[in-house]
Amino acid sequence: MTLPGLSAERPRCGTCLQKPAIWQHAHAWMDYSYPCNTLIARWKFAQQPALAAHFARWMRQDPQVINLLETADVLIPIPLSPQRMRERGYNPAAQLARHLSPEQYLPHCLQRTRHTLAQSDLTRAQRLRNLRHAFAVADAQRHRITDRHVLLIDDVMTTGATFTAASRCLLQAGARQIDVLCMARTP
């Protein structure tokens, strides 16, 4: 089965035009819409972690995904809080990163400093406040991102608030450049 990536450049919203993202490039492999949103929900919430390998294999067929992987030094997944990790049993973003490129995968570098509310129930402004100071780079890992090109991985992007907070943290810790890649983007 081959699923198409999003090939067309999307128009930017007014917020993005007024305040550009702090990352260099972003790519969402697909829209978070039917029928793929059902698969993603199973993967994230219905204890079907094996889907990550299939998603990664399909994503690696997209030239934009290949380009992001080839230009990055390391892949860092968006971390879950310990509480959310206990609820789910695994981190979908970490699984995706590991399957996309095991040799570039850098787990445990970026950490959640606190549990946050689920982003899906919040407005854009609430999402940004919710994630303020929610990430940190482990001191023992800083040398692995200093002056490196980081590809930040997550499962679904809605407003980009999570990517913004994590990117800011990584840049402050010494990363040279941040690109972001997600499985799906809400339309």
Side-chain angles (χ1 to χ4, degrees), residues 102-123:
E103 60 279 354
Q104 292 172 284
Y105 173 56
L106 187 56
H108 315 298
C109 178
L110 188 63
Q111 301 172 341
R112 286 272 180 162
T113 58
R114 61 186 176 80
H115 181 69
T116 56
L117 299 172
Q119 292 287 94
S120 57
D121 300 328
L122 305 175
T123 66

Side-chain angles (χ1 to χ4, degrees), residues 151-182:
L151 181 57
L152 197 51
I153 308 288
D154 205 2
D155 46 17
V156 178
M157 176 170 67
T158 302
T159 65
T162 301
F163 278 134
T164 297
S167 295
R168 184 171 288 119
C169 177
L170 290 164
L171 288 168
Q172 289 172 350
R176 178 181 75 246
Q177 177 179 328
I178 308 291
D179 289 335
V180 300
L181 174 64
C182 61

Side-chain angles (χ1 to χ4, degrees), residues 81-93:
S81 69
Q83 180 179 337
R84 186 91 25 152
M85 188 70 166
R86 281 190 303 275
E87 290 169 6
R88 291 195 185 159
Y90 54 92
N91 179 350

Side-chain angles (χ1 to χ4, degrees), residues 9-185:
E9 180 70 25
R10 292 175 181 235
R12 294 188 179 191
C13 68
T15 301
C16 293
L17 290 171
Q18 290 175 359
K19 189 173 182 181
I22 63 174
W23 57 77
Q24 295 295 309
H25 302 97
H27 182 64
W29 182 65
M30 70 169 86
D31 276 334
Y32 188 72
S33 58
Y34 185 81
C36 294
N37 61 335
T38 304
L39 277 175
I40 293 170
R42 285 182 189 166
W43 173 43
K44 289 178 65 167
F45 306 115
Q47 297 298 314
Q48 295 191 16
L51 287 172
H54 299 292
F55 290 142
R57 188 176 68 246
W58 295 330
M59 288 175 72
R60 289 185 62 84
Q61 295 176 25
D62 181 335
Q64 291 182 49
V65 171
I66 296 295
N67 183 56
L68 286 170
L69 292 171
E70 288 177 350
T71 58
D73 295 316
V74 295
L75 272 62
I76 297 179
I78 295 291
L80 296 178
S81 69
Q83 180 179 337
R84 186 91 25 152
M85 188 70 166
R86 281 190 303 275
E87 290 169 6
R88 291 195 185 159
Y90 54 92
N91 179 350
Q95 288 186 330
L96 188 59
R98 183 173 48 89
H99 287 291
L100 281 169
S101 183
E103 60 279 354
Q104 292 172 284
Y105 173 56
L106 187 56
H108 315 298
C109 178
L110 188 63
Q111 301 172 341
R112 286 272 180 162
T113 58
R114 61 186 176 80
H115 181 69
T116 56
L117 299 172
Q119 292 287 94
S120 57
D121 300 328
L122 305 175
T123 66
R124 178 174 172 69
Q126 290 170 326
R127 288 169 189 242
L128 291 169
R129 278 192 307 274
N130 186 42
L131 292 170
R132 198 170 291 145
H133 308 294
F135 297 104
V137 174
D139 287 337
Q141 299 287 325
R142 283 183 183 266
H143 71 282
R144 299 181 78 182
I145 64 161
T146 300
D147 202 32
R148 298 289 178 108
H149 181 166
V150 173
L151 181 57
L152 197 51
I153 308 288
D154 205 2
D155 46 17
V156 178
M157 176 170 67
T158 302
T159 65
T162 301
F163 278 134
T164 297
S167 295
R168 184 171 288 119
C169 177
L170 290 164
L171 288 168
Q172 289 172 350
R176 178 181 75 246
Q177 177 179 328
I178 308 291
D179 289 335
V180 300
L181 174 64
C182 61
M183 173 87 184
R185 177 181 169 206

